[in-house]
Amino acid sequence: MKKGKRLRLITTKTIYHLMMLPGMFFVILFNYVPMVGIIMAFQDFVPAKGLFGSKFVGLKHFIYMFKLPDIAKVVRNTVVIALGKIVIGTFLAIAFAILLNEIHNKFFKKIVQTVVYLPHFLSWVVLASVVVNMFNLDGSVNKILFAIGLNKINFLGSNKAFQSLIIGTDVWKEFGYNSIVYLAAITSIDPGLHEAAAIDGASWWKRVWHVTIPGMMPIILLMGAMSLTGILSAGFDQIYNLYSPLVYETGDVLDTYVYRIGLVGRQYSFGSAVGLVRSLVGMILLLTANWLTKKLTDRKIF
Amino acid sequence: MKALKKIFVILLATVMTISLAACKKDNESQKESDTSKSDSTGSINITDSEDNSNASVDPFGAYENEITVTMGRQTLQNPKLPEGDTYEDNAYTRWVKNELNIKIVDEFEANGDDYDRQVSLAISSGDLPDIMKVTSLDELKELYENDLIEDLTDAYNTYATDYLKEVYDSYGGRALSNVTFDGKIMALPGTNTDSGPSIVWIRGDWMEQLGITIDEDGDKCITIDELEKVVKKFMEKNPGNAENVVGMAFAPWLTSGDPDGTYSINSIAYAMGVFPKTWMLVDGKVVYGSITEENKEVLRKVAGWFKEGLVDPQLGTRTWDDITALLVNGQTGVTFGTWHIPDWLLNNVRAMDPKATFDAYAIKDANGKVNVKHNDATAGYIVVRKGFEYPEAAIKIANLFYDKLVNTSNLAEEYPEVANYQALGVDGSTRPFNIEINSYTSLLDDYRDIVRCVNGEITLDEVRTTESKSIVQNVKNYTADPDNCEVVDWSKYHSRLKGVKLIQSLTDSNTFEWLTPIFPQTTSTMETNWANLEKLEEETFIKIATGALDVDEGFDQFVSDWNSLGGEQIISEIEEQINN
């Protein structure tokens, strides 16, 4: 880029940059300043003594965390549930977006969209009671199972069914909303490509496979990589409202475990240590995903 | 740096408040309380401050200038307050204003566990209300060690009425010693009388309807077999005409550290000689009740019932509210709980079904005894913020509610609004301090007053407490017309003339076998490992009960895990504590 052009670019954009300032201020205030709190993870934080008066204890809380007897099980549950939600959720959202794109009746399309987006806006506190009522032993799902001659299953109390229930209900709640971004990706694909493929005799399946999906790929990769950062958080509010001691074995995730052990017992330092580890893992995964996509597809996320 | 710290604390508080979805009062009233706080300090600086703080030593003396006290209040979902009254502004707080010239402003209000979170939050931000309740001794200790609360020794010695001191003394020093650190009284403890056993509450109207007879000797003690018999009959005949009949429903945590634990299996465990979640000394050794070999048999019993269908098939996923709903819907007619559940749980049953009655039974062991344990002497603690100008205000409020209110014989004439609250059955949590300060024998003392007055042996004036007086009326209303009386009449009759009556008669007949547990302080290993051990216990027990784990294998594994994960260490730490 030539020097003169660059200078002009800056002057014409100056006004826009200035407009960004308030936003930047809030980002710094709310996203960077609180990071000072990270030092809590290395202290025995006592609120009354404050952040700068508490005793430093080095890696004590990290060592304690990895020594907790259930930590391996809890991390495994977290990863399984989170991965399940990401993989199945993404797949369904893509499939739904492709199918929705085929609907040409505008009115019908809007109705379908509204119906599937709706659950996203409901809180898990509310939805949990709906789920409980549907899936408990007297619930409608078990009535159907019973009517077709199958055994009743206490979904909320069975370690075999609980993870599927958590993943399934979350996917149901979110896939519609997640499909918005994929729908946008599809509409941005040049219709000429589709026409060309159709003229060459490609079937619908072939066109989806060779035109639509490759066209969506950058977005799919971006969304996939971004969701990887959340691999160690499996949705506190959902699980907290649905689990019980019966399903701790398969349903207890990092968030709920830390909540019970750390927050209720006011172990702030321990809580921050866990949060820090989670953020680090998320960051490493994101960087790896970025590096991998660059290597495999020659595209970068950022 | 200081500004940064402040910002951080505010952020932390905000983030925690939002993420916990706690019900903090809205900003506006927050601001209001802040300004009024500074106002009152301001006005005192202007006026002669000596007048206000050194007013003559009158335990009930009003402040010359109005003072504002900010408080943290533990509330109840449905306190039955009259329309328009709130926790902050009700007959009790207005009474405090009129009598003591103290204006109460609530800095935060929250229910049950949420309240503990609010207290945590307040401790975290270092911004305590002037007076608040904390629920555990550990919190009290933390507040003391961090120098956040005021020493109340002088205020207590100077201002507490003789009656109040007598009440505390009836615990033989156990009540005040719990809150005394380095010789200083740091809190006003709520007292905790013995609550008796976890009572088996059985639908009396159903038993009559189905002609079931148990407890043939009439001592109100039944065996576990008799309990089984009733449950089977109820399930078979479905007297509640319910869609899904359920036998016995228990809370997911199964056992309780309180002897009278509601919706717990305590009554069954105790009858089998097991005291779950209890620390005790056996032959000089510290023993934790849940890991004893006998507890395996208790779990075997419950697991057997579960398999047979006598226990709720959804055990473990059924929440507290779900169980209450089972009772209200008539799906089950047998439940377990403390003597006062007719006042706040079973009343819901009667509200739905005017014919419903409950009978109270205790479960006896093989020797015909009813096992029960003593409670710790204190529960709930009122603390005063370090630096609060009027620490004696806490004592004065206590004098008002735990002496004057109780001992005023003509309450209805002197304080009609307050008397009306008692008649309406407004919950005690609406008083400024949500604690009880009762003498050690108060439960049975009050019961005897009520019975003697109802029988005409003493006059209403001779009944000692105001609450008892209104209960006498409730009982009379109930006996006059059991089917059409108010729910509150039904409740008070059941809690006193069935619940407490059972405790009284078992005390009279010497049927109770009392255990005195030990109440250790939180040890260092407890601090780090206890939450985990508790989780292990609850998870294992519920799995054994529902058949997900084999009784023998699961329990033995549990005991060895429990010991190796810090349990053994904790036991030796407690032994050290006791020996010192």
Side-chain angles (χ1 to χ4, degrees):
Chain A
M1 205 181 279
K2 275 181 196 161
K3 216 177 174 187
K5 196 177 173 189
R6 183 174 207 170
L7 202 68
R8 201 169 66 236
L9 195 72
I10 288 173
T11 43
T12 51
K13 297 276 166 77
T14 306
I15 189 82
Y16 298 113
H17 284 143
L18 280 176
M19 287 165 83
M20 265 175 67
L21 268 182
M24 290 300 288
F25 172 75
F26 280 113
V27 167
I28 289 168
L29 181 66
F30 289 114
N31 291 359
Y32 284 84
V33 174
M35 278 196 207
V36 181
I38 288 174
I39 59 174
M40 276 201 317
F42 304 95
Q43 294 177 323
D44 263 342
F45 179 69
V46 177
K49 290 183 188 151
L51 209 47
F52 303 101
S54 299
K55 204 175 88 197
F56 278 89
V57 292
L59 293 176
K60 179 181 150 188
H61 297 293
F62 296 90
I63 294 166
Y64 171 61
M65 175 183 160
F66 288 108
K67 272 193 178 158
L68 281 171
D70 287 341
I71 195 78
K73 196 165 76 185
V74 167
V75 169
R76 197 191 61 216
N77 289 342
T78 315
V79 173
V80 168
I81 293 177
L83 259 186
K85 284 178 179 177
I86 294 170
V87 172
I88 301 175
T90 308
F91 178 78
L92 256 184
I94 295 170
F96 178 72
I98 293 172
L99 292 179
L100 193 67
N101 194 48
E102 297 298 319
I103 297 175
H104 297 293
N105 180 335
K106 247 193 179 153
F107 183 66
F108 182 60
K109 192 170 171 178
K110 289 267 182 263
I111 288 180
V112 171
Q113 276 178 305
T114 312
V115 168
V116 296
Y117 294 171
L118 206 58
H120 167 80
F121 297 100
L122 294 175
S123 144
W124 266 117
V125 180
V126 178
L127 276 181
S129 57
V130 176
V131 171
V132 168
N133 274 317
M134 276 177 72
F135 286 91
N136 69 17
L137 276 183
D138 318 322
S140 45
V141 174
N142 269 314
K143 281 199 177 123
I144 295 169
L145 285 182
F146 188 70
I148 57 174
L150 293 171
N151 280 333
K152 287 189 173 185
I153 304 168
N154 189 2
F155 290 93
L156 296 151
S158 150
N159 280 311
K160 285 192 193 113
F162 191 72
Q163 284 183 345
S164 320
L165 180 74
I166 291 290
I167 296 171
T169 51
D170 184 75
V171 166
W172 163 77
K173 180 176 186 295
E174 299 296 342
F175 85 92
Y177 192 75
N178 289 342
S179 70
I180 291 181
V181 84
Y182 297 113
L183 207 57
I186 293 173
T187 42
S188 72
I189 296 170
D190 184 358
L193 289 174
H194 274 287
E195 280 162 27
I199 290 167
D200 288 346
S203 67
W204 183 78
W205 275 111
K206 284 246 155 94
R207 272 184 285 136
V208 167
W209 193 248
H210 293 288
V211 179
T212 315
I213 293 195
M216 289 165 78
M217 209 32 118
I219 297 290
I220 295 176
L221 287 175
L222 175 75
M223 298 301 287
M226 297 298 276
S227 54
L228 273 184
T229 57
I231 196 106
L232 284 183
S233 46
F236 174 80
D237 42 354
Q238 181 194 15
I239 294 173
Y240 184 75
N241 282 302
L242 289 172
Y243 81 158
S244 63
L246 265 182
V247 288
Y248 278 170
E249 191 183 320
T250 52
D252 205 10
V253 295
L254 211 50
D255 284 317
T256 50
Y257 189 65
V258 168
Y259 169 78
R260 282 201 320 274
I261 298 217
L263 199 58
V264 175
R266 288 199 307 287
Q267 299 187 17
Y268 306 108
S269 292
F270 173 65
S272 334
V274 176
L276 189 58
V277 168
R278 187 162 47 201
S279 305
L280 277 178
V281 171
M283 197 172 85
I284 291 168
L285 282 174
L286 184 65
L287 291 177
T288 319
N290 189 33
W291 175 78
L292 262 181
T293 40
K294 194 186 171 214
K295 192 132 202 219
L296 294 176
T297 65
D298 214 30
R299 283 191 187 110
K300 264 211 305 197
I301 305 168
F302 51 83
Chain B
M1 250 359 189
K2 215 170 172 194
L4 202 64
K5 185 177 150 193
K6 214 168 185 178
I7 290 175
F8 168 71
V9 168
I10 293 169
L11 281 174
L12 184 75
T14 324
V15 168
M16 285 178 81
T17 320
I18 292 166
S19 63
L20 292 173
C23 13
K24 182 112 180 163
K25 301 194 72 187
D26 56 70
N27 276 332
E28 217 161 303
S29 61
Q30 180 68 29
K31 251 182 239 157
E32 201 179 78
S33 87
D34 280 346
T35 46
S36 58
K37 206 196 307 189
S38 54
D39 270 351
S40 74
T41 347
S43 67
I44 277 135
N45 287 340
I46 297 159
T47 59
D48 189 0
S49 66
E50 297 227 321
D51 262 353
N52 237 12
S53 48
N54 282 353
S56 62
V57 183
D58 174 3
F60 299 106
Y63 289 96
E64 204 153 300
N65 303 309
E66 180 189 278
I67 68 165
T68 302
V69 175
T70 57
M71 291 190 63
R73 306 268 300 271
Q74 189 174 29
T75 57
L76 192 77
Q77 200 82 51
N78 176 21
K80 292 177 257 173
L81 279 165
E83 182 97 15
D85 279 0
T86 62
Y87 266 90
E88 197 170 26
D89 181 17
N90 61 43
Y92 292 134
T93 58
R94 289 191 287 269
W95 194 41
V96 172
K97 170 75 184 77
N98 291 338
E99 289 289 301
L100 302 174
N101 205 13
I102 296 174
K103 184 176 175 229
I104 291 172
V105 174
D106 291 350
E107 190 141 306
F108 54 81
E109 293 172 1
N111 291 326
D113 285 350
D114 288 335
Y115 180 78
D116 293 336
R117 271 170 236 146
Q118 286 283 351
V119 170
S120 294
L121 213 62
I123 298 176
S124 316
S125 64
D127 187 17
L128 300 187
D130 297 332
I131 300 178
M132 69 172 177
K133 172 189 174 178
V134 296
T135 51
S136 73
L137 266 179
D138 288 332
E139 275 171 325
L140 178 63
K141 207 170 135 211
E142 188 181 334
L143 284 166
Y144 172 68
E145 279 167 1
N146 291 317
D147 198 25
L148 288 168
I149 49 174
E150 192 69 44
D151 177 4
L152 296 180
T153 319
D154 289 341
Y156 176 78
N157 289 334
T158 320
Y159 284 93
T161 61
D162 291 340
Y163 175 79
L164 200 68
K165 287 177 180 162
E166 255 169 53
V167 167
Y168 279 131
D169 288 344
S170 71
Y171 291 82
R174 287 190 299 146
L176 285 180
S177 73
N178 272 355
V179 296
T180 307
F181 299 92
D182 306 321
K184 292 179 282 189
I185 299 175
M186 298 309 296
L188 210 54
T191 59
N192 196 19
T193 55
D194 282 325
S195 46
S198 176
I199 293 170
V200 186
W201 294 92
I202 301 177
R203 279 290 286 263
D205 52 331
W206 291 4
M207 296 239 281
E208 204 172 304
Q209 183 190 331
L210 302 176
I212 305 172
T213 47
I214 49 169
D215 177 35
E216 276 168 10
D217 53 2
D219 63 355
K220 290 284 169 188
C221 296
I222 58 172
T223 60
I224 293 179
D225 290 340
E226 281 176 306
L227 171 70
E228 246 176 71
K229 178 180 144 187
V230 174
V231 173
K232 275 184 189 154
K233 261 276 158 42
F234 279 1
M235 291 190 72
E236 191 185 309
K237 303 278 173 173
N238 188 12
N241 294 320
E243 203 180 323
N244 294 296
V245 181
V246 168
M248 292 175 270
F250 300 106
W253 51 86
L254 281 179
T255 59
S256 164
D258 299 321
D260 53 340
T262 297
Y263 297 158
S264 75
I265 62 168
N266 275 18
S267 53
I268 295 142
Y270 281 33
M272 295 173 79
V274 178
F275 296 89
K277 292 185 179 151
T278 302
W279 295 99
M280 49 201 160
L281 273 177
V282 181
D283 305 327
K285 285 220 152 53
V286 172
V287 171
Y288 183 61
S290 300
I291 62 164
T292 55
E293 195 62 22
E294 292 84 358
N295 196 19
K296 196 201 275 183
E297 300 313 311
V298 174
L299 292 172
R300 198 190 306 281
K301 184 102 224 165
V302 177
W305 282 342
F306 183 84
K307 215 170 163 192
E308 239 183 291
L310 293 183
V311 163
D312 178 15
Q314 299 191 46
L315 176 68
T317 52
R318 197 86 78 172
T319 64
W320 176 281
D321 290 339
D322 294 341
I323 298 174
T324 311
L326 290 179
L327 286 160
V328 173
N329 297 338
Q331 287 169 268
T332 181
V334 177
T335 196
F336 306 84
T338 184
W339 62 266
H340 48 80
I341 55 171
D343 292 344
W344 51 282
L345 275 181
L346 302 183
N347 57 345
N348 297 311
V349 179
R350 151 75 199 225
M352 283 294 283
D353 181 356
K355 293 235 166 344
T357 61
F358 280 89
D359 287 337
Y361 295 94
I363 303 185
K364 58 185 172 190
D365 69 5
N367 304 322
K369 290 280 189 185
V370 173
N371 295 319
V372 64
K373 70 171 182 180
H374 289 296
N375 279 332
D376 200 358
T378 56
Y381 309 88
I382 300 295
V383 295
V384 173
R385 170 177 66 84
K386 184 95 186 173
F388 180 52
E389 304 96 304
Y390 313 106
E392 73 286 350
I395 313 288
K396 285 186 175 180
I397 295 176
N399 288 337
L400 203 58
F401 284 91
Y402 305 102
D403 180 353
K404 192 175 253 186
L405 177 63
V406 180
N407 293 318
T408 305
S409 55
N410 52 343
L411 199 72
E413 290 145 43
E414 284 200 44
Y415 313 110
E417 202 188 17
V418 172
N420 185 40
Y421 260 42
Q422 306 231 316
L424 291 172
V426 176
D427 193 78
S429 63
T430 57
R431 295 167 303 176
F433 299 163
N434 185 0
I435 56 169
E436 300 298 337
I437 305 180
N438 295 322
S439 83
Y440 182 60
T441 53
S442 58
L443 182 64
L444 296 182
D445 289 347
D446 291 348
Y447 166 75
R448 280 191 296 268
D449 276 3
I450 294 165
V451 171
R452 290 173 65 197
C453 185
V454 170
N455 292 343
E457 291 164 35
I458 55 173
T459 64
L460 198 61
D461 277 346
E462 288 172 274
V463 172
R464 271 167 288 188
T465 72
T466 321
E467 197 188 8
S468 300
K469 282 179 187 148
S470 67
I471 292 172
V472 167
Q473 192 52 51
N474 294 134
V475 170
K476 283 181 176 163
N477 292 348
Y478 178 82
T479 14
D481 190 356
D483 287 349
N484 298 313
C485 63
E486 298 286 322
V487 175
V488 60
D489 300 327
W490 182 95
S491 295
K492 300 293 175 192
Y493 178 86
H494 274 79
S495 58
R496 268 55 174 205
L497 271 88
K498 297 217 165 157
V500 187
K501 184 182 181 183
L502 176 67
I503 298 173
Q504 176 77 57
S505 73
L506 295 181
T507 308
D508 291 343
S509 61
N510 227 352
T511 312
F512 280 133
E513 190 76 47
W514 287 96
L515 169 86
T516 307
I518 48 178
F519 303 100
Q521 281 164 4
T522 307
T523 70
S524 60
T525 311
M526 266 181 169
E527 239 162 60
T528 50
N529 294 29
W530 189 250
N532 216 30
L533 289 176
E534 248 181 347
K535 177 199 156 178
L536 180 72
E537 179 176 335
E538 271 175 19
E539 187 181 2
T540 312
F541 287 3
I542 197 79
K543 278 181 156 178
I544 292 177
T546 54
L549 275 179
D550 178 68
V551 181
D552 291 290
E553 236 170 81
F555 192 81
D556 295 344
Q557 183 66 38
F558 160 72
V559 174
S560 80
D561 283 351
W562 192 88
N563 278 318
S564 65
L565 292 174
E568 218 164 14
Q569 176 70 20
I570 290 172
I571 288 182
S572 71
E573 283 169 355
I574 294 175
E575 269 169 358
E576 208 170 294
Q577 220 179 73
I578 289 170
N579 294 333
N580 285 332

